[in-house]
């Protein structure tokens, strides 16, 4: 019987005809046969030492394929053109209420910087959202380096910490700017300041078009987001410490695992959950007044690729992509729904799974307690600096991190094809496909062109019409190519 490694038996089967051994000639022949057998055995052992892939193992992928990226000579280009001038000091002011989570506020703030430039208004430091789901009381200077923000943009827009004393109690106009608006729209909006010196903008998110804006306005948005709007020193310092601790262990993946309770309730995704958990999420969705969709078919959502990957699915995906079990993975996420019940499934594939809670000390994290946006900023820093970034769903943070990594030289970002993967996962569950090299080939081929290489920003989806088509465009901040990314030496 062969041993488990597939090598031949060490001993030849017992010779039954012992009479042959009695003859000297027979004994000589047997000795020659035995010697030949030993030579053959030695050769077979050398063959057996070759590590052939097991039937249940993903195909081998080189380290270079796993970890490196190629910017193909493209680099950041954000210098103003020769036509760009320092603005005159304006006696009109714009106050802003930034809405949403951390990254929705960040991109909204930079939109408002660009709008202030277009309408020639002085921007008052925006007030951050304190009433959203996160209930974070942080002020602008708690999260961002306010002096740097004002100084870095002084050649673009006049920014002040607060309104002048003389205007503190002055009447203010209030205007909800239209989403995804053009430069010509804001030229018309200048009329708002004819009768008032102060105009208040209650919402800041997505108030500028993704495309069709002057190149200097687009580059201003990039200078704002990637240079001026730096996090406050306490956040930056701890973020860098955590990155260093991760790098001391080797290369690592930052996984933005969108598997929090609010995400699952909002999207109506209940695959793999118990009936009681699915019911809990349904109740949460029904009771959240500003979520418009209430009756959601979870199966349809998942098959259309609208659901975040589950922790187990992420494990299967990364293994199929060729990442070894020893890979370090940083979990950039809030509180995972179901806790270790579901996280353990990912850990079974990749035991070296860490988070800010396990990397930082309690004392280091104490100052950020009850400040969700500041904690999210730590995840953002680590995600941008990781060797590979993988988002399980395309939310605001995933888009912002991908755009930032593109800007920094197209660092490797693998965006899962959720719709395609669901088909493969379902085939696995039905037994029509095995978790082996064939699955690995299918998954890697599916993601060959989804790893953050340079490309122009996608336009609206075919068939979309009117203003609704703007909603289907790829976000400027998700991919600032071509306005802020150019071939080296070509701008």
């Amino acid at each position: 019987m062969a041993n488990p490694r597939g090598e031949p038996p060490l001993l030849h089967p017992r010779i039954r005809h012992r009479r042959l051994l009695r003859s000297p000639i027979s004994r000589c022949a047997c000795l020659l046969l035995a010697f030949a057998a030993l030579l053959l055995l030695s050769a077979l052992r050398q063959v057996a030492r070759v590590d052939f892939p097991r039937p249940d193992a993903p195909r081998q992928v080189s380290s270079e394929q796993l970890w490196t990226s190629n910017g193909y000579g493209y680099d950041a280009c954000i210098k103003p053109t020769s036509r760009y001038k320092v603005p005159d000091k304006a006696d009109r002011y714009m106050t802003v209420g930034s809405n949403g989570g951390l990254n929705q506020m960040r991109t909204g703030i930079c939109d408002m910087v660009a709008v202030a430039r277009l309408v020639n208004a002085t921007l008052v430091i925006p007030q951050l959202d304190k009433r959203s789901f996160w209930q974070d009381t942080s002020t602008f200077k708690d999260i961002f380096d306010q002096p740097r923000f004002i100084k870095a943009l002084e050649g673009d827009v006049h920014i002040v910490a607060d309104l002048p004393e003389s205007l503190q109690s002055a009447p203010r106009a209030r205007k909800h700017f239209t989403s995804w608006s053009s430069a010509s729209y804001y030229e018309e909006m200048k009329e708002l300041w004819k009768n008032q010196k102060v105009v208040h903008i209650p919402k800041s998110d997505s108030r500028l078009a993704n495309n069709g804006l002057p190149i200097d306005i687009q580059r201003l948005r990039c200078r704002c987001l990637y240079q001026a709007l730096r996090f406050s020193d306490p956040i930056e310092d701890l973020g860098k410490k955590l990155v260093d601790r991760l790098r001391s262990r080797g290369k690592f993946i930052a996984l933005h695992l969108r598997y929090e309770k609010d995400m699952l309730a909002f999207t109506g995704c209940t695959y793999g959950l118990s009936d009681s958990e699915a019911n809990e999420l349904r109740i949460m969705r029904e009771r959240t007044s500003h979520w418009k969709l209430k009756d959601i078919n979870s199966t349809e959502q998942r098959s259309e690729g609208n659901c975040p990957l589950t922790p187990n699915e992420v494990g299967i995906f990364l293994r199929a992509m060729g990442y070894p079990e020893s890979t370090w993975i940083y979990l950039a996420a809030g509180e995972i729904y179901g806790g270790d019940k579901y996280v353990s499934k990912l850990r079974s594939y990749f035991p070296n799974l860490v988070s800010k809670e396990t990397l930082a000390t309690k004392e280091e994290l104490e100052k950020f307690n009850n400040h969700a946006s500041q904690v999210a900023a730590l995840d953002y820093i680590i995600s941008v600096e990781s060797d590979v970034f993988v988002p399980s769903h395309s939310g605001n943070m995933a888009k912002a991190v991908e755009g930032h990594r593109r800007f920094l030289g197209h660092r490797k970002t693998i965006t899962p094809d959720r719709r395609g993967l669901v088909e493969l996962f379902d085939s696995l569950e039905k037994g029509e496909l095995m978790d082996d090299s064939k699955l690995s080939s299918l998954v890697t081929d599916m993601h060959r062109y989804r790893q953050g290489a340079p490309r122009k920003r996608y336009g609206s989806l075919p068939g979309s019409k009117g203003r609704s088509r703007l909603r289907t465009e790829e976000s400027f901040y998700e991919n600032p190519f071509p306005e802020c990314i150019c071939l080296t030496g070509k701008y």
Side-chain angles (χ1 to χ4, degrees):
M1 181 182 295
N3 68 23
R5 289 181 60 191
E7 294 176 348
L10 297 178
L11 298 174
H12 195 279
R14 185 177 300 169
I15 299 173
R16 295 180 180 176
H17 303 288
R18 296 187 179 183
R19 288 178 299 176
L20 293 173
L21 297 175
R22 294 172 185 171
S23 165
I25 296 175
S26 298
R27 284 198 295 270
C28 183
C30 287
L31 287 171
L32 288 172
L33 286 171
F35 181 69
L38 285 172
L39 290 176
L40 179 61
L41 178 61
S42 177
L44 287 172
R45 279 180 170 170
Q46 292 300 317
V47 172
R49 287 192 183 101
V50 178
D51 290 325
F52 293 108
R54 296 176 300 165
D56 63 339
R59 67 180 182 181
Q60 296 296 309
V61 181
S62 70
S63 178
E64 184 178 7
Q65 287 176 292
L66 291 176
W67 300 106
T68 61
S69 59
N70 192 339
Y72 297 96
Y74 284 91
D75 209 346
C77 52
I78 56 174
K79 292 180 181 177
T81 65
S82 58
R83 302 183 301 274
Y84 195 77
K85 306 297 181 185
V86 176
D88 296 327
K89 191 170 183 180
D91 62 351
R92 54 177 70 178
Y93 292 84
M94 191 168 83
T95 60
V96 174
S98 293
N99 59 299
L102 174 68
N103 289 289
Q104 193 172 343
M105 289 193 292
R106 289 177 66 245
T107 55
I109 287 167
C110 289
D111 274 2
M112 290 298 104
V113 165
V115 168
R117 169 84 190 191
L118 287 169
V119 300
N120 191 29
T122 295
L123 177 66
V124 179
I125 287 291
Q127 297 295 310
L128 303 189
D129 190 343
K130 297 179 175 62
R131 295 178 296 178
S132 65
F133 174 84
W134 297 272
Q135 296 289 304
D136 190 340
T137 59
S138 299
T139 64
F140 190 97
K141 62 184 178 182
D142 290 329
I143 300 177
F144 305 111
D145 185 338
Q146 184 168 307
R148 176 192 173 96
F149 179 69
I150 295 172
K151 179 71 176 175
L153 295 171
E154 64 182 2
D156 304 290
V157 177
H158 290 290
I159 304 174
V160 293
D162 207 346
L163 285 170
E165 190 68 31
S166 60
L167 293 176
Q168 288 287 339
S169 55
R172 306 178 190 185
R174 181 183 173 92
K175 177 65 178 177
H176 281 270
F177 288 146
T178 302
S179 299
W180 301 296
S181 292
S182 64
S184 60
Y185 169 86
Y186 286 105
E187 188 66 30
E188 297 174 6
M189 290 300 104
K190 288 181 179 179
E191 296 293 317
L192 292 169
W193 281 269
K194 274 196 170 182
N195 299 318
Q196 307 287 352
K197 283 197 171 185
V198 182
V199 175
H200 179 66
I201 316 303
K203 288 190 175 183
S204 62
D205 65 315
S206 304
R207 302 299 133 171
L208 267 179
N210 293 307
N211 304 297
L213 292 172
I215 191 168
D216 276 324
I217 292 299
Q218 298 287 57
R219 290 185 175 179
L220 171 57
R221 295 168 91 181
C222 289
R223 289 198 299 278
C224 173
L225 194 64
Y226 305 132
Q227 293 185 345
L229 199 58
R230 182 183 179 274
F231 293 119
S232 62
D233 286 344
I235 294 172
E236 288 282 346
D237 292 345
L238 182 55
K240 289 175 181 175
K241 283 181 183 178
L242 299 185
V243 169
D244 288 342
R245 288 171 195 173
L246 277 162
R247 284 184 177 155
S248 69
R249 306 176 187 194
K251 294 184 181 298
F252 71 96
I253 294 172
L255 170 63
H256 185 41
L257 186 63
R258 290 308 317 271
Y259 211 70
E260 302 93 343
K261 184 177 181 180
D262 63 304
M263 166 56 75
L264 296 177
F266 176 73
T267 56
C269 297
T270 59
Y271 172 77
L273 302 180
S274 67
D275 289 343
S276 62
E277 288 171 331
N279 189 53
E280 181 183 29
L281 297 178
R282 179 188 59 78
I283 293 171
M284 180 181 184
R285 183 169 62 255
E286 290 176 352
R287 289 178 177 176
T288 306
S289 59
H290 60 276
W291 290 352
K292 304 303 179 186
L293 285 177
K294 303 297 182 183
D295 187 16
I296 301 175
N297 186 313
S298 178
T299 302
E300 288 181 4
Q301 278 283 84
R302 183 170 175 269
S303 64
E304 291 170 4
N306 295 326
C307 288
L309 299 180
T310 69
N312 187 59
E313 289 172 338
V314 171
I316 297 171
F317 168 64
L318 292 177
R319 184 172 184 267
M321 286 294 292
Y323 288 96
E325 185 182 24
S326 59
T327 301
W328 285 95
I329 297 180
Y330 175 78
L331 201 59
E335 184 178 353
I336 301 302
Y337 188 60
D340 200 58
K341 173 182 176 182
Y342 295 116
V343 175
S344 61
K345 296 182 179 182
L346 172 58
R347 192 180 290 110
S348 69
Y349 290 96
F350 298 96
N352 294 328
L353 187 65
V354 296
S355 64
K356 52 190 165 289
E357 289 79 13
T358 55
L359 281 175
T361 65
K362 288 184 179 180
E363 292 74 23
E364 287 173 328
L365 288 177
E366 190 174 13
K367 67 183 74 173
F368 303 109
N369 286 345
N370 302 316
H371 296 293
S373 292
Q374 295 183 48
V375 171
L378 295 173
D379 281 342
Y380 184 90
I381 291 170
I382 296 169
S383 296
V384 168
E385 294 300 324
S386 64
D387 296 287
V388 176
F389 175 64
V390 179
S392 70
H393 194 263
S394 53
N396 290 317
M397 176 168 163
K399 293 175 181 178
V401 170
E402 179 177 351
H404 201 158
R405 290 173 68 87
R406 287 181 179 278
F407 180 80
L408 292 173
H410 294 89
R411 296 175 178 178
K412 197 178 191 76
T413 299
I414 305 175
T415 307
D417 180 350
R418 296 189 302 277
R419 187 170 186 170
L421 286 172
V422 163
E423 293 182 14
L424 297 181
F425 295 150
D426 286 348
S427 294
L428 274 175
E429 194 172 336
K430 295 172 185 175
E432 299 169 352
L433 186 64
M434 299 299 290
D435 188 0
D436 55 15
S437 58
K438 182 180 179 181
L439 174 66
S440 185
S441 294
L442 291 170
V443 171
T444 52
D445 288 346
M446 183 185 291
H447 293 85
R448 190 177 305 278
Y449 302 108
R450 300 177 68 92
Q451 301 191 30
R455 62 167 175 79
K456 288 188 177 180
R457 193 165 54 254
Y458 294 137
S460 56
L461 290 176
S464 55
K465 298 178 181 178
R467 290 195 60 80
S468 62
R469 79 187 189 283
L470 302 176
R471 186 181 293 276
T472 70
E473 293 178 341
E474 185 174 23
S475 166
F476 172 77
Y477 295 110
E478 185 176 2
N479 183 12
F481 184 113
E483 298 93 340
C484 299
I485 298 173
C486 319
L487 274 174
T488 304
K490 298 292 183 182
Y491 64 95

